Amino acid sequence: DAEVVLLGRSNVGKSTLMREITGHQFNTGGKPGVTRSPNHYDWASEDFVVTDLPGFGFMSGVPGEQREQIKTNIVRYLEEHAPNVLAGVVVLDGKAAIDIIDRHTNEEEIPHTVELYHLLRELDIPAVLAVNKMDKVDDADERLDDVADRFGLLPPWKQWQDTIAPITAKQGQIEPLEQAVRAHLEAAKRDDLK
Ligand code: GDP
């Protein structure tokens, strides 16, 4: 089955999304930055396998050396698996992402979400931005246009529905993400036929 890789800094709702996708229970609110090896699960409603990679976000209390190691592991995994990865899903907190991106990147964010997005692009892995916690966002279109802008995608965001997927994982509203990943699956199939 096609592999979808899930990435995101701590607390964006990755575990909640994983639970929604797979039906398994995950350790929500788990200690950030704890090194885990990649885990693979079936995406319940689709023909995908979803891979959970360790959080790369703010990891206070995690020594710099260990943080670097986590970052290196993520980059290495993506490099090694790029040919088989159908999509890289970067999960963002829709309420907090813009502020975090606009604040100057500090050493505790590794790698910066935007950098990670560009890394996926460099590796030719289709990137999907799963903008989570949309239930907490008042002006969704404005916020999503800002997200598009920060990732170098020309607003309006609606032009980028294969890339920008607003979701509320906590309420099981993940259809835009499923649609985006499906679109990449169809595109990959078309490429195979060429
Ligand atoms: P992780 O660290 O990325 O795995 O994040 P978790 O899944 O543990 O979620 C972090 C916090 O965000 C928890 O309190 C979740 O209940 C909350 N959360 C996750 N998804 C949503 C959502 O769609 N809306 C809201 N309002 N909160 C969410």
Side-chain angles (χ1 to χ4, degrees), residues 50-62:
V50 58
T51 303
D52 184 25
L53 290 187
F56 62 91
F58 181 81
M59 293 186 270
S60 57
V62 178

Side-chain angles (χ1 to χ4, degrees), residues 25-40:
Q25 202 56 245
F26 289 86
N27 185 18
T28 51
K31 195 162 170 262
V34 176
T35 314
R36 289 174 284 131
S37 46
N39 287 310
H40 308 282

Side-chain angles (χ1 to χ4, degrees), residues 10-16 28-29 132-133 135-136 168-170:
S10 352
N11 213 41
V12 293
K14 230 158 45 95
S15 312
T16 306
T28 51
N132 190 31
K133 309 195 187 184
D135 59 314
K136 295 210 285 185
T168 298
K170 205 177 178 176

Side-chain angles (χ1 to χ4, degrees), residues 13-186:
K14 230 158 45 95
S15 312
T16 306
L17 178 60
M18 281 297 284
R19 187 178 58 210
E20 199 51 46
I21 287 172
T22 66
H24 293 279
Q25 202 56 245
F26 289 86
N27 185 18
T28 51
K31 195 162 170 262
V34 176
T35 314
R36 289 174 284 131
S37 46
N39 287 310
H40 308 282
Y41 305 88
D42 288 333
W43 190 311
S45 61
E46 313 281 336
D47 266 347
F48 315 138
V49 168
V50 58
T51 303
D52 184 25
L53 290 187
F56 62 91
F58 181 81
M59 293 186 270
S60 57
V62 178
E65 206 174 296
Q66 195 184 331
R67 277 193 252 133
E68 280 308 303
Q69 192 57 54
I70 293 171
K71 175 179 172 177
T72 303
N73 288 346
I74 291 174
V75 173
R76 191 172 297 155
Y77 184 90
L78 290 174
E79 282 173 351
E80 276 172 16
H81 293 79
N84 304 318
V85 176
L86 175 67
V89 176
V90 180
V91 187
L92 310 177
D93 179 334
K95 184 79 179 170
I98 297 297
D99 283 349
I100 292 170
I101 289 168
D102 289 352
R103 218 183 295 147
H104 270 280
T105 308
N106 58 56
E107 281 175 28
E108 266 151 327
E109 294 175 43
I110 49 162
H112 193 283
T113 301
V114 178
E115 286 176 20
L116 184 70
Y117 171 79
H118 289 300
L119 171 69
L120 290 168
R121 304 287 312 263
E122 275 163 35
L123 294 173
D124 262 327
I125 300 174
V128 177
L129 301 167
V131 188
N132 190 31
K133 309 195 187 184
M134 288 306 291
D135 59 314
K136 295 210 285 185
V137 172
D138 291 330
D139 192 334
D141 284 329
E142 194 182 327
R143 182 63 55 98
L144 293 165
D145 282 348
D146 284 347
V147 169
D149 174 71
R150 299 309 190 274
F151 285 85
L153 304 165
L154 193 67
W157 76 273
K158 292 229 179 194
Q159 301 184 97
W160 302 102
Q161 295 193 55
D162 292 353
T163 305
I164 298 178
I167 61 170
T168 298
K170 205 177 178 176
Q171 295 168 11
Q173 291 164 12
I174 62 165
E175 178 68 15
L177 176 60
E178 290 171 340
Q179 296 258 11
V181 178
R182 256 182 245 140
H184 292 298
L185 180 63
E186 293 307 316

